[in-house]
Each structure stands twice: as C-alpha cells, then as structure tokens.
Amino acid sequence: MTSVFTYLEEQPIVLLFALIGFGMVIGRTKVKGVGLGAAAVLFLAIGTSAWAQAYGIEVRVPPVMGTFGLALFAFSIGNNSGATFFQSLKRAAGPIATMVLLFIVAAAAGLLIGRHVLGMDTATIAGTFAGATTNTPALAAAGEASGDPGAATVGYAVAYLFGVIGMIIASGMALRHAAEDLDNPTPVTHTTIRIERDDNPTVAAFVKEVDGAVEISRLRRGEEGKIWVPDRTDILERGDLMTVVGEVDKVNEAAALAGHKSTHSLRSDRRYLDFRRITISQTRFAGMTVGELDVLLEEKWGAKISRVRRGDSDMLAIPNFMLELGDRVRVVGPTLKLKEISRFLGDSSRGLTDINPVGLGIGLALGVMLGEAEIPIPGGGHFSLGAAAGVLIMGLIMGKLGRIGPVITALPNSANAVLGELGLLMFLAQAGTNAGGQIAVAFTGGSWWRILVLGVIITAIMAFGLYFSMRKIFKVGGTTLSGLLGGAQTQPAVLAFANDRTGADPRVALGYALVYPVAMIGKILVAHVLGGM
C-alpha cells in the first residue's frame, strides 16, 4: 500500500475524485432503506488519511479545494432557499422559533457539559454539536470560528452516526401516532362549476371569497359559447361555466359559493383553448412572479398560467409565486397560439441546466467578502461571520430577490442542486483527509467516548425537545412531524426513513421543507458562535 499512498500524496486531484466516487458507492448502499449518503465521503476520507498516516505518509486534499466546495454548497443552499426561507418565517413562526431555541439550549448544554464535566476543548465541542445535529456546513462554521478544523471534524465524525439514528428513532415515534392525524393532504385538482348566483361578481372578487386559494383557468357563457381565459375583471354571470383549479377542499368551497359542479368539461373541448407544459428558459422571465407573467400572456394571447412544476412538486400558480429558470408551467391559451407561446417562454432544456455564471460569480465574491469583513463589537473588538455564513446569507438574499435590473440573481433549482452536491462532496473529502490523523489519536487516546456521550446528549435534547413541543404545544400531526424532524436535523436519511414508512406521503415533505431553511442557517450560526467561545 505504500506505493498507492505515495501516489495519492503526489496527486491530490486524483485523491479528491477517488474519494468522491468510491465514497458515494458506499453512501448509496442502503440498509433497510437508510444509507450514509454524502457523509460516506467524509468517513472514507478519514479512514484513508488515517491508514496512510500509519505508513508515515500524509495524503491530503488541499484546503483551497475544501474552501471552494464549501462556498459552492453554502451559496446553492441559500439561493435555493431564499424565497421559502422568508415565507416560512411567517407561516410557522411558533414551531420555527421553538426549534431555534432548542438549538441554543442544546449548544449551551453541550458547552457546559463538554467543558466542565468531560474536559473537552471548544473546537471539539462545536464539531460534536455539528455532528449530533448532522449538519456539515455547521461543521465548517465551527472549524472556521474555533481555528481548529481538525478537532472539530473529529467531534463531528464520532457524533454523526447517533445523530442520524437518534432522530430516526424520534421520527418512528411520531409515525406511531399517524393514524390520529387530522391534516390529510388535499392535492391540487380541477373541476367545472356552473354559476347560479345573480350578483355578478368579478373573477377577482370571487377568488377573494375563497381566500385567493383557487384559480379560474377557463370561462364559457352557457353551454355552447366560446371558451376563453378570463382576466380578473371579467364578470361571472348566472349560467356561466368555469374551470376552477386548486386544492380539493377549496374547489369544493368554490362550487358551494358559485352554484354546483357541472358534468360538462371545458378542458375536453380543445377547439378554442388547450394547455401545454412549457419550460421557462428565457432569462428575462427569471425572478418574475406568476402574476407579472400572466399580464404579458393575457395581453398578447389571452393566456394564463394555471400550475407550476418545480422539481417533483406541482403547485397552484398563485399570483405572487416567483418563477425560476427551469420551472415548467402549465399554460392555458388559444389552441393555435400555444407553439408561439412556447417560443416566447423559451421551452428549452437549457433552462434546466444553466448555472447563471454572472449571478453565481458575483454572489460568491460578495459572499466571501461579507464573511471576511470585520464587524465591530460595541465596547471594543470585532468579529467576522466567516466564509460559510457570508456566502449563505448572500445566497439567501439573491435567491429572494430573483433579479436586480437586467441581472438575474437566482439560479435554477436543478443547477443549485448539482452545484450544492458537488461542493458538499469536495468539502467532505478535504475535511476528512485533514482529520484522519486526529481521529486516530482520538480513538487510541480514549477521548472518543467523551465525544460520543456529548453527542448523544445533544441529539437527545433536539429529538425529544422537538417531539414533545410540536406534539403537545403546536399539535403537529405525526406524519408531518416525522418530516419536520428530518428537516430540523437537515438529514436526508431521516426524510428517506419517513417516506419509506408512509409511502412518500406529501405531508412528510411539507414538514421537512417547512423548517429546513431556517434549521440550516440556524445551526450554522449557532455552531459559529459556539466555536468562537
């Protein structure tokens, strides 16, 4: 093996890609539906580095590779979460505030117990917090703030496994109460409604009666008239037929308010109107809302958007929903004009893969500058956010804005996913090789059990604190809670476990997405503060 390790020492690029490739072979191997995922790259890198050191050879991925990977990952997470992050703060303020409070409690308990009972240094404690909450960017923040990334990575690696197992146990406990759930999902659907009221409301006024939760995609006077896409000022008259799109309960509510459901199907009559899925690939539409694009479509062709598909999620096209490159929209418009509308919106697969180098480059540069800036502290001294937090914050801001004048600041969902995964794998490979020797010392020196004990305590505080507060205070259903626990842990393995147990119930994904952005950012900031103490 000496010759192999010597070669890897001389060829760090080969080492990097070998760790990523072979690590993900291990990570994608699942036992009862659960695998290590990207964390396998970290453990393979640690093992490889420790093994090489036993031969007196240091195999290392250069630190600049890890920094570059971390910047890519942090920016993509922030950019992808920009819109949902600020929305989730409004929609679930109570549960999110409780989760953040638990992060602080767990970190404070870790600091007190780790330092005063177990005799651990701050860097290891901060890394243990990151591992116990299974958050790799938090590890980067902890290592950067403490000035000892090696010790932080040792704490992370030892505490990580129970961080996954402990939260899976909590998720399983939540699913034991799934039969009692009252929040059954209501998928988006459509129906034709005959109007039987005489007050002649406008489309906008009627939609407001249903709390703005439906869209009217087609309208017809009587049973044989022309079908058209109504605008918000059109009048609804007795005897009209309209196609209403929305969640099942809201569509039923609309039918009760307007008249009754009709056996006629306006969608099946394609002489006048048809619909088509079209990919948004023209850059000028990125950052626009559905409402803004609807105005253009209505003026040119009398068309409108009824649904938006992003990734694997199909959503109602509400007016304030911000569009991204790569979104697939369902456009309802004149049958003979749909090809023209497709050309107008782009409908190119390039929109799915365009990494938007202008937005990416500017965002990374500004984020690193923000992270390295010295922020004065009242009374003297200063601190800096660090590259990870700075890039993440800049990604959030740019993802929220979507566009600044002619500059598109949001990357497509798929591009963010690819860049984020590549960046994460690069960072894990570098962090693991940097920690290989130190983790060997931890196990041979006997300090591993202290890390493990502290990790179990931190994970338990998070798991049971979330479980009881969400169940008892906020009355969250068991199915949604199983996903929320995975989101709070920012752990795909917990999400995979809950999806496997529920047959991919959409409430699992809802709970996960509800808290994930805040959990990601909250843990990074807590780990940064903890590492600097």
Side-chain angles (χ1 to χ4, degrees):
M1 292 300 297
T2 302
S3 59
V4 174
F5 289 135
T6 300
Y7 176 78
L8 293 177
E9 181 184 28
E10 296 171 350
Q11 300 291 335
I13 301 299
V14 175
L15 172 65
L16 171 66
F17 291 127
L19 290 172
I20 290 175
F22 290 112
M24 287 310 297
V25 169
I26 300 170
R28 289 177 176 172
T29 302
K30 295 185 177 181
V31 178
K32 294 186 177 181
V34 178
L36 285 174
V41 174
L42 174 71
F43 293 119
L44 178 62
I46 289 172
T48 301
S49 178
W51 192 5
Q53 189 153 318
Y55 288 87
I57 302 170
E58 288 193 357
V59 293
R60 300 285 188 272
V61 174
V64 68
M65 294 288 187
T67 302
F68 176 65
L70 176 62
L72 280 180
F73 178 70
F75 182 80
S76 65
I77 286 291
N79 197 258
N80 210 36
S81 303
T84 57
F85 172 75
F86 293 102
Q87 290 173 2
S88 65
L89 289 177
K90 299 177 183 178
R91 289 189 289 116
I96 287 174
T98 301
M99 177 186 69
V100 173
L101 178 61
L102 284 169
F103 288 149
I104 296 171
V105 170
L111 183 64
L112 291 174
I113 296 172
R115 181 178 289 176
H116 300 293
V117 178
L118 300 175
M120 296 165 59
D121 62 89
T122 301
T124 305
I125 293 170
T128 302
F129 171 83
T133 58
T134 69
N135 190 273
T136 306
L139 165 62
E144 191 174 41
S146 66
D148 191 354
T153 304
V154 170
Y156 177 92
V158 175
Y160 181 93
L161 188 57
F162 186 80
V164 177
I165 295 172
M167 201 58 79
I168 285 177
I169 292 172
S171 182
M173 290 175 58
L175 289 174
R176 290 174 59 187
H177 300 280
E180 306 166 11
D181 289 353
L182 301 176
D183 56 343
N184 293 320
T186 53
V188 173
T189 187
H190 65 273
T191 194
T192 301
I193 297 174
R194 184 181 293 277
I195 298 172
E196 295 182 325
R197 51 195 283 180
D198 298 313
D199 58 338
N200 297 340
T202 63
V203 168
F206 178 77
V207 169
K208 187 176 181 180
E209 292 181 32
V210 200
D211 301 322
V214 299
E215 285 290 317
I216 300 175
S217 62
R218 293 170 176 81
L219 186 62
R220 180 182 229 168
R221 292 275 187 258
E223 298 182 3
E224 299 296 333
K226 180 181 177 180
I227 302 173
W228 77 95
V229 177
D231 63 34
R232 301 182 71 78
T233 61
D234 280 344
I235 301 296
L236 302 178
E237 300 178 0
R238 174 179 280 274
D240 285 353
L241 294 172
M242 62 180 179
T243 299
V244 177
V245 183
E247 294 181 350
V248 174
D249 56 343
K250 289 298 182 181
V251 168
N252 290 337
E253 183 181 343
L257 288 169
H260 68 271
K261 292 183 180 180
S262 173
T263 57
H264 290 78
S265 175
L266 302 186
R267 287 163 54 94
S268 63
D269 187 344
R270 297 188 172 184
R271 293 173 297 169
Y272 307 105
L273 292 179
D274 204 349
F275 63 89
R276 177 178 294 184
R277 288 280 190 184
I278 301 173
T279 301
I280 302 290
S281 60
Q282 290 285 0
T283 56
R284 65 179 180 274
F285 300 128
M288 274 192 177
T289 64
V290 167
E292 290 169 341
L293 187 52
D294 268 345
V295 170
L296 297 178
L297 296 176
E298 288 172 5
E299 288 178 351
K300 289 178 175 288
W301 298 284
K304 73 183 303 181
I305 299 169
S306 63
R307 301 189 195 186
V308 179
R309 188 169 184 82
R310 178 172 296 168
D312 294 329
S313 300
D314 211 17
M315 297 162 282
L316 183 66
I318 56 177
N320 62 351
F321 186 89
M322 184 183 293
L323 296 167
E324 297 178 359
L325 287 177
D327 284 348
R328 288 180 58 79
V329 295
R330 176 181 283 184
V331 177
V332 180
T335 303
L336 299 178
K337 297 295 184 180
L338 287 178
K339 286 186 178 179
E340 191 176 334
I341 295 172
S342 293
R343 289 194 296 270
F344 178 70
L345 297 178
D347 203 23
S348 167
S349 59
R350 182 175 181 272
L352 300 173
T353 56
D354 185 2
I355 64 170
N356 183 10
V358 174
L360 177 64
I362 293 174
L364 289 174
L366 292 176
V368 173
M369 290 170 62
L370 174 64
E372 298 299 330
E374 294 185 351
I375 302 172
I377 299 174
H382 62 269
F383 76 100
S384 59
L385 292 172
V391 171
L392 182 67
I393 291 170
M394 188 56 60
L396 275 170
I397 294 171
M398 294 180 70
K400 171 63 176 175
L401 293 175
R403 170 192 291 271
I404 302 176
V407 178
I408 298 169
T409 59
L411 276 64
N413 180 271
S414 54
N416 272 323
V418 171
L419 290 173
E421 183 173 10
L422 175 62
L424 175 62
L425 295 174
M426 291 177 65
F427 169 73
L428 289 174
Q430 190 275 323
T433 57
N434 186 57
Q438 288 177 280
I439 200 166
V441 172
F443 277 98
T444 56
S447 62
W448 65 270
W449 69 267
R450 296 182 177 87
I451 299 172
L452 182 60
V453 168
L454 186 63
V456 169
I457 291 171
I458 292 172
T459 300
I461 290 172
M462 289 305 307
F464 293 106
L466 284 168
Y467 178 86
F468 287 109
S469 63
M470 298 303 152
R471 288 286 298 171
K472 303 300 182 182
I473 300 175
F474 300 105
K475 310 300 181 184
V476 177
T479 305
T480 302
L481 178 56
S482 68
L484 186 147
L485 290 166
Q489 195 73 344
T490 55
Q491 180 48 249
V494 181
L495 177 64
F497 168 81
N499 276 331
D500 184 64
R501 289 281 301 274
T502 62
D505 189 300
R507 286 171 290 177
V508 175
L510 175 65
Y512 188 88
L514 184 66
V515 299
Y516 180 91
V518 178
M520 177 67 71
I521 293 153
K523 284 191 275 193
I524 289 172
L525 295 178
V526 169
H528 183 84
V529 172
L530 184 59
M533 297 184 101

